Amino acid sequence: AKLSKWNQKNLSMGGKVTLIKSVLNALPIYLLSFFKIPQRIVDKLVSLQRNFMWGGNHHHKRLSWVKWDVVCLPKSEGGLGIKDLSKFNAALRGRWIWDLASNHNQLWGRVLISKYGGWSDLQWGRDKGWHSQWWKDLRKLYHQPDFNIIQQNMVWKVGCGDKIKFWQDTWLGEGCNLQQKYNPLFLISRQQNLPISKMGKFSQNLWNWDLKWRRNLFDHENELAIAFMDDISAISIQHHSQDTMFWKVEPNGLYSTKSAYRLLMSFISLVPHRRIFQSLWKLKIPPRARVFSWRLLLDRLPTRANLLRRNVPIQDTLCPLCGSHQEEAGHLFFHCNMTRGLWWESMKWIQVIGALSADTASHFIQFCDGFGAGRKHSRWCGWWIALTLTIWQHRNSLLFKGTPFDPHKVMDDALFLAWSWLKAREKGFNTLFNHWSTNLSES
């Protein structure tokens, strides 16, 4: 109900993204932290979000210009930061796995241990008919391949060693267990399933390892055995200390949903030139302008070439400004006869010359990080966005209102837009527009 049709017409793209985050990502957060969300519910919620974002509804679907996988990427990776519900659900439920190992002495932990076996059953047990669906889903989550990155960052900090399996658990702090690192030695061990506390004994308050093998070591296994002994000898076993879990991602060692979700999303790479988006979202410009530039850098604006690629029937594919080339983003914004002079004029302010790329992302890097890599870098990036946004607005006025495209008017409007952003968002900026626009090489 909150993501209704009338809201689509009264909100910018930035406003829609904000509402999606505050409604459909926030309302079910309690249930997401406890239950596994069914895939059909994920599909339904994503459909609602996508339709609201791009302006569609149940009866009329509009084009989704950017893949939802890209939309769900963090802003620094080229997305909009909308939560991927499946991965967010996994990160939230991962806290139960963490707490089962770290807070097992609490009442709920003792109940799970008495009923299901606790941490050891979660790792190595099997589903039984009388197990609850919640416990079965939690075990499935722990053994999912996508969850391995979470497992690798949950490392045991050794105390007395009675809860940590010597070979199978991760306790050396390297993101892998001894079975993975020293598999040839694991295969000949006679203590494959024992905890650390059963792998040796204390003598005069000093821990001594008592390792047992099925056979004598071969000569080629000696170097591996030496490295193995160096690893385990560096760990001190404490007689009266509890084993605790350490979360490697956070400095304080405590699990957080935010860091776990970031970890699950960190291995998804769908967008080239990701570093330009890190600077884009730091600029002091309105959300509407940020989302526009995000779509432009991904080349996802409804230019005639992009409409043609998506099988939208159009009669004319030529640029509406010059009428001589197909309307692609690179041509419309940078190389059209009606817009090219705007960039040449901008480059005169900082006294540089050079050929500019036709690719939008490469053009941004060249124009902002190359020509504008000075102490006014953020202003120069803001100018690039202000000019491209104004070109797009005047292009739309030409198509839908019949207003002639005047490059001089475009330049004046872009300058005023950039000045208004500086005045509203840059602390201490009190320069009048007339003075600022006539001293552009300094400002």
Side-chain angles (χ1 to χ4, degrees), residues 60-278:
H60 177 67
K61 291 187 178 181
R62 299 185 64 179
L63 287 175
S64 298
W65 284 98
V66 183
K67 290 182 179 179
W68 195 251
D69 291 340
V70 176
V71 172
C72 291
L73 289 175
K75 289 183 177 180
S76 60
E77 300 293 323
L80 291 180
I82 295 176
K83 290 287 190 296
D84 182 304
L85 291 174
S86 296
K87 288 184 170 55
F88 189 45
N89 181 221
L92 285 167
R93 291 165 61 224
R95 176 170 287 281
W96 289 99
I97 296 174
W98 166 266
D99 284 342
L100 192 60
S102 303
N103 301 317
H104 56 274
N105 290 326
Q106 296 183 9
L107 176 60
W108 68 268
R110 297 200 302 270
V111 170
L112 292 182
I113 291 172
S114 64
K115 186 172 183 179
Y116 302 117
W119 175 258
S120 60
D121 187 82
L122 181 73
Q123 289 183 294
W124 317 112
R126 296 182 179 180
D127 289 337
K128 297 182 175 65
W130 52 270
H131 282 177
S132 68
Q133 189 60 46
W134 178 84
W135 180 257
K136 293 178 181 178
D137 289 339
L138 197 64
R139 289 195 67 255
K140 288 178 182 177
L141 173 66
Y142 184 82
H143 294 286
Q144 280 180 2
D146 294 345
F147 202 74
N148 283 342
I149 185 63
I150 301 293
Q151 293 183 34
Q152 293 170 7
N153 285 277
M154 289 183 179
V155 181
W156 279 105
K157 187 176 181 181
V158 182
C160 61
D162 59 349
K163 296 175 186 170
I164 309 171
K165 288 202 172 184
F166 178 81
W167 288 103
Q168 289 94 341
D169 284 333
T170 302
W171 57 281
L172 289 178
E174 300 180 1
C176 62
N177 52 44
L178 290 174
Q179 179 181 350
Q180 295 172 335
K181 191 173 182 181
Y182 299 103
N183 191 59
L185 298 180
F186 168 76
L187 295 176
I188 63 173
S189 173
R190 295 171 57 189
Q191 303 160 303
Q192 293 181 350
N193 297 313
L194 294 183
I196 293 177
S197 59
K198 302 294 184 181
M199 299 293 292
K201 57 185 177 180
F202 283 97
S203 176
Q204 298 180 351
N205 292 326
L206 293 177
W207 177 259
N208 296 313
W209 295 103
D210 183 18
L211 305 176
K212 299 177 181 178
W213 311 100
R214 300 180 188 276
R215 58 169 173 79
N216 294 329
L217 297 179
F218 296 134
D219 290 341
H220 69 273
E221 295 173 333
N222 288 335
E223 291 186 4
L224 187 65
I226 293 172
F228 170 75
M229 291 304 301
D230 288 341
D231 273 350
I232 64 174
S233 297
I235 304 297
S236 60
I237 310 300
Q238 305 295 325
H239 192 48
H240 299 292
S241 179
Q242 292 289 330
D243 299 325
T244 56
M245 186 71 81
F246 185 84
W247 179 240
K248 292 170 57 179
V249 183
E250 295 287 354
N252 59 9
L254 300 177
Y255 181 93
S256 71
T257 301
K258 182 179 180 180
S259 60
Y261 177 77
R262 187 170 61 242
L263 202 61
L264 290 172
M265 298 293 291
S266 63
F267 289 91
I268 303 176
S269 180
L270 301 172
V271 178
H273 304 296
R274 290 179 296 169
R275 65 185 182 88
I276 64 177
F277 297 99
Q278 298 176 3

Side-chain angles (χ1 to χ4, degrees), residues 290-315:
R290 290 179 182 176
V291 176
F292 165 81
S293 55
W294 169 73
R295 292 181 64 184
L296 174 58
L297 292 170
L298 293 175
D299 191 15
R300 294 298 185 270
L301 290 176
T303 59
R304 290 176 171 178
N306 281 339
L307 289 171
L308 197 62
R309 289 192 199 101
R310 286 160 176 77
N311 300 317
V312 177
I314 53 177
Q315 295 179 350

